[in-house]
Amino acid sequence: MSDEFNLQESLLSLSDLSLYHIPAEVDIPSQRTSTIDESLSSAIESIVHDPESIVHSQSSTFDVFQSILKYSDSPNITGPILTKLLDVILSSLTSHANAVLGLVGSQGFQTDDIDAPMVHKQPLEMWAFLLQWFITSAERGAGKSDGGVAPTTTSGKGKKKTTNKNSSSSTSFVWIDQIPFVLGTMHKVLRIPSGRIWRTSSEKESFISCFVKPSYQLAENESYLKNQEIKLGIYKVICLSVKFHGHSFGAQTSIIQNLTYFEHFSEPMAELLSILEKEFDFTQLSEEVLRDVSTKTFAHNDVKGPRSFSKFLIKLAELSPRVVAKQMPLLLGHLDSDAHPMRMAVVEIIGLLIRDLSLSDEGDEEQKAKQIKKYFELLMERFLDLNSWVRCKVLTTIIKLCDLPAKFPKQRHQITELTIRTLEDKTSSARRYAIQLLCKLLETHPFGALHGGTLNLAEWQERYDKIEAELAKVDAVELERAKRDVGMVDEEDQDDSQEKDDDEEAEDEDEEEAEEVEEDVDGQEDVDGEEDGEGTPRPKAVKKEPKIKKKKPRQSQLDITGIQAEQSTLDPELIHKLRLTKKYYSDALKFINQLEGAIPTLCQLLVSTTKTEVLEAMRFFRIAYEYDLQSNEIGIKTMLHLIWTKDNNSTVPAPTTSNEDGNPTGGSTEAGATKGIRANLIDCYRSLYFDVVPDLNAKQQVNRIAKNMIERTYGATLAELTSLEELMRTMMAEGGVHYDVVNKLWQVYSTDQEIPKAQRQGAIIILGMLALARREVVTERVESLLKIGLGHFGMHDLVLARYTCIALQRLGGSAKKVKAGSLSDKTMRLPMENPIFLKLQEIIEHSPKSPQWFSMAEQAINTIYLLGEQPDALCSEIIKDLTVKVFEKPFSTQDATATTPPQDVNETTNVNNEEMQVDGATPPPDSQDSMATPPPENEKKDQIGSFKLAQLVFIVGHVAIKHIVYLELVEREFKRRKDETAKQKAAAKAAEKDSNDLDAVAGNAEDDIGELISGIRERELLFGDKSLLAVYGPMIAGICASPKRYKNSSLRQAATLSLTKLMCVSAQFCESHLLLLFKILETSRDPVVRSNIVIALGDIAVCWGSMIDDNSERLYQGLSDPDQIVKKNTLMVLTHLILNGMIKVKGQLGEMAKCLEDKDNRISDLAKLFFTELSTKDNALYNNLQDVISHLSVGQYKVDEDTFERTMRFIFTFIEKDKQAESIVEKLCQRFRLATEERQWRDISFCLSLLPFKSERSMKKLIEGLPFYQDKLHEETVFRRFTEILAKARANKAANKPETELKEFEAILTEHQAKGLEDQALEADVLRKTKAAKRRAAKRPQAGGRGKKAVTPEDNEDEEMEEEALPAPPQRSTRGAATKAQPKKAPPPPKPRRGGRRKVVESEDEDEEEAE
């Protein structure tokens, strides 16, 4: 038998079992299971006592084993048979391995017995061969039962299969349960000294492969690697083979191949190399594998390979960072790899190495610092990587580094600067991780050792100024001492140089000691105690400022004894600490100013369309509040507007993403809360202002919460108050406001003590907001409202009175709009005898003159109409009383038309800034707070008359607009009563016919009511004989139409506003005064008036659309208004009217497109919103695109080319449909035909280059349009645009891409460009020759006496130019005047006319030649 078995040949023969020859083969398929079992048992019996007998026994014994393995897939081979066979193989291998180890390890083993282990060579080979064959068969599924599932497949369900075959456990073979025993036997065999038995490397490799190859085969099954015991067993087999049997090169090749073809091998192979390094002290294989990986190259579109190798490198760096660090110079080559997963892997490895270096206590500190610095420089470079995934990986890597004990102070400022720059990254994920990194930098900042963790700029600036002043004193003393030592007292210039040297030394010391700041900072508490004074905080970053050079006094002026005493107290250690502290404060100020500079960008991210960005930005401001950043309040106020966000669900997934490697890149655990934006905002405000805090009693908690609520109203704009109102309403509805806090707010509002006005105003503002959710908040305290807000305090504080009126409006119930068609009205109405109305009338009529009166009166009228049963009666009385006040004594026209002084112009502007809130105009900032300077005494009477008239006019206009709403409520009430009556009668009637007739009658009655109310509105309110408002309509129109007579700006603003309100009441009144309104819009110099008119025109368009539609071009004129507020309001009104279909677009979109590039961000953002929404309408943007291009490219309204390109680039992003693009290509090509200027050519070609050219038809349209633009291709920019279009068409991945046509088109473009350039050169050559001919003709002498040349048009032009240069003579003597003037310029004998003309031409040509 020994002569027949050859391991290498047998292993090769296993590749095809059908051809494998067994000398005494057993016919397994034809035998029964019992027969096979008997044959196996007899074979086992023959070798059971002596495993070596397999070599010497008859060949049938070995052949039985081989036959069973060859037909292991046969159903005759059951689980018990395979189990028996495996047992004999394992026990025999173990026996031989123990025998060899016994021989090698025995003390009596002599050199002459060196061949003794050779006895076991062939038995080991035979049993190892059988074991490999068995493992291969088992992996194919040998031993599975008929009703079971194959126990070993690559599906990864080995353990489950065991449970599925409990019923047939006696006949099935569970391979996964046997694998640990097999691997254990391999470990024992691989302990033998193979070099003693196999003398040639090929034999040894064949034997070792019987164990290694099955191990790799087992590892290919991912489910086995999830079993810790099997995984470690496989690792150990490979490690033993590498360490003791020369398998290093084979393992290296196998690892590289496995990483290339099996993605799940990435981390297991790294673990294998780590175990080999740590447990077997063998690093050579790891180094060789890393060298191989470093030489790998990957294509940019290769996904699987780079992903597998990147995971491997990262895992190996985690487990064995020192091994990877040695090969890092080679691995850094992958930073330039085209495959971004490899760049990401190197970035993460750099982070792991920095972590290992910073945590390690071994090695030279200076050397480690250099390495860390170099690694950080590599990370900084990757901030500019072209791939967003790599940039995100850099950010996440640094986030992990921030959690380390080391703070890396040298790199921290640069990291912060680059992170802030990344906030403007074009990729959402990069911006989100940049915010996370900023949060982490803020949370882990190193400036909390001396003064706690707060980062208030003013406080740190004060500390820095103090320490700088102390160091200045020290430097002055040292300078004087140095001057005395060298005897330089009298030379002032040398004093200055000495001071400069000292300053430079101080700066050098600061730089050298920068690294010691962190270590020494804990010992500086004594310095902190010296800084109790007050400094002046500066808002900007404080860098190292040069010392101010002062002229030093001479020695005779110094107190020598004082200086010596001061010198004796100077402590070098204290000075050293002072310098370190100064550096510490300087670094802190730099970091704080960096964060402060990032606040505006973060505020923009709060309104991002990406939800996760918004959540992260909110988290930053929440953290910044805790660290007391000065500008944090801006972000928290901006955040408040997110209360209007409509979250479709109450929860959102945590902001984690998966990178292109398939690994989750993680997110913030705090900002990644599972709540939506709105819910997160409420939680954020609660935690910052409205939640209880520890260490305060109940009363203090209530005071704190009430104080925070009131402070939210300080300096708040109208938009901020509106958002705060929604927040308070939501919190109150959810039970988030304790009633003790409400009582405290009432206490602040009702107190008789003198408290700041803003505090009392804030209390009633918050109470009015809370009452939106619970009406009981104000219903129980109406007396307080009347006593305080409409009483003495309200008379002297009209802002308080205004918000008191708003709070009173909550008595009526919900202010939400009633659904269309609903007849129910749940609002509460009060009788007119109620003291509320008496107080309201009193404060309207008797409150002092103030800019705040108009906004207060507006809310007071609103309250009357909302709560009163008969508001028209009370308002009529108010109007009559105000009329009596205005006309109570006769006063001259000058009283009402007096021109106000400059002080009153500001005041009246502020007055009607409040009025603008009626129709939604935006008042200028600080309009409520800017009070006018009192006018001189002699003008006060005139101003009072104008102001009273303005009050009357304002009340008339607002009552008119509110009365329309009231009439609608009356109409609804009539309909409700009719509906109830009809229902009662219908219930009484039994017959269906009668019921139907009654419904018809009820419907007719409702129509009659609607017509009646419409008639009252149209004909009675402003034109009725008994209507009070009809008296004032002509008066208001007269004031508006007489600007020279009524010059008071306050009166004109009120009159214009009232006129627009009256125009909303009646179509007849509107039609008769519409032209007047447009005339005022065109001629008024007051931006408040123009802004109010623009907003009112929007309301008029809603009421009487046809009138505005016919005059819409006048409305567009506001887009070119010099005032930004008017411009913004015009754009806002047009956006509303166009998007809601109230006016038609008639080619004026070009002016709105100009707003896209406006300097005011509010206007440009609104314009972008308009075009974004317009693009969702059916073809609206497409239909007007040609007009926009024409408007911006040619004519008097055209813009510069850069602006045109930026505007068109934005608009063309909405052209997405292929049919639209094809049509636009055709139309733009036709525009070339009529384009005469090169500017137009460039603009049209640029627009063409913006189209996607995804379809074949688009390119065909472009090629068909070639005759229109072929003569323009010589222009460089035009040709470049068409080249870009060609490249874009080729880059498209369409299946039907016309490659042949594209090549032909490219050739045609090049040909026509060359032809155009030739024509251009020919034209230039002809022009040059013509000029040369003219010069020659001019130099040729003229023959005299030929007579006078006929006067040509050119001669006439010359004469006209001469006439313009001379004094204007009579028309008839023009020629003579020219003749008289000529002798003064020319020689006495006058030349013929032709000769004179030639001289002019000659001089022009000579000038041109000189210019050339």
Side-chain angles (χ1 to χ4, degrees), residues 1322-1341:
L1322 180 62
E1323 185 179 345
D1325 187 51
V1326 169
L1327 182 63
R1328 182 175 56 80
K1329 289 181 178 179
T1330 304
K1331 289 181 178 179
K1334 285 181 179 180
R1335 285 197 299 272
R1336 287 194 299 271
K1339 293 176 182 177
R1340 190 178 303 135

Side-chain angles (χ1 to χ4, degrees), residues 133-146:
W133 196 350
F134 186 93
I135 293 173
T136 305
S137 301
E139 280 296 301
R140 280 204 314 269
K144 63 182 179 180
S145 60
D146 294 338

Side-chain angles (χ1 to χ4, degrees), residues 380-434:
M380 308 295 182
E381 291 175 4
R382 288 300 108 188
F383 268 98
L384 301 177
D385 197 282
L386 294 177
N387 190 280
S388 62
W389 297 106
V390 183
R391 299 196 296 273
C392 291
K393 180 59 71 175
V394 174
L395 294 166
T396 54
T397 300
I398 298 178
I399 288 173
K400 295 175 184 175
L401 293 177
C402 287
D403 288 325
L404 296 174
K407 300 300 182 184
F408 309 111
K410 286 189 174 181
Q411 292 80 21
R412 204 171 186 89
H413 292 306
Q414 189 178 0
I415 290 173
T416 307
E417 182 180 347
L418 292 172
T419 306
I420 293 171
R421 188 189 303 167
T422 311
L423 290 175
E424 300 178 18
D425 196 283
K426 65 180 181 180
T427 311
S428 173
S429 55
R431 296 194 297 268
R432 175 159 55 87
Y433 288 123

Side-chain angles (χ1 to χ4, degrees), residues 697-721:
N697 57 37
K699 184 178 179 180
Q700 291 172 329
Q701 299 281 12
V702 170
N703 290 344
R704 172 186 168 272
I705 294 172
K707 177 174 174 288
N708 285 337
M709 285 183 173
I710 293 172
E711 286 177 350
R712 294 312 98 214
T713 65
Y714 291 171
T717 62
L718 181 62
E720 288 167 356
L721 286 176

Side-chain angles (χ1 to χ4, degrees), residues 665-680:
T665 53
S668 167
T669 56
E670 201 169 329
T674 57
K675 295 184 178 180
I677 294 175
R678 179 186 169 96
N680 205 11

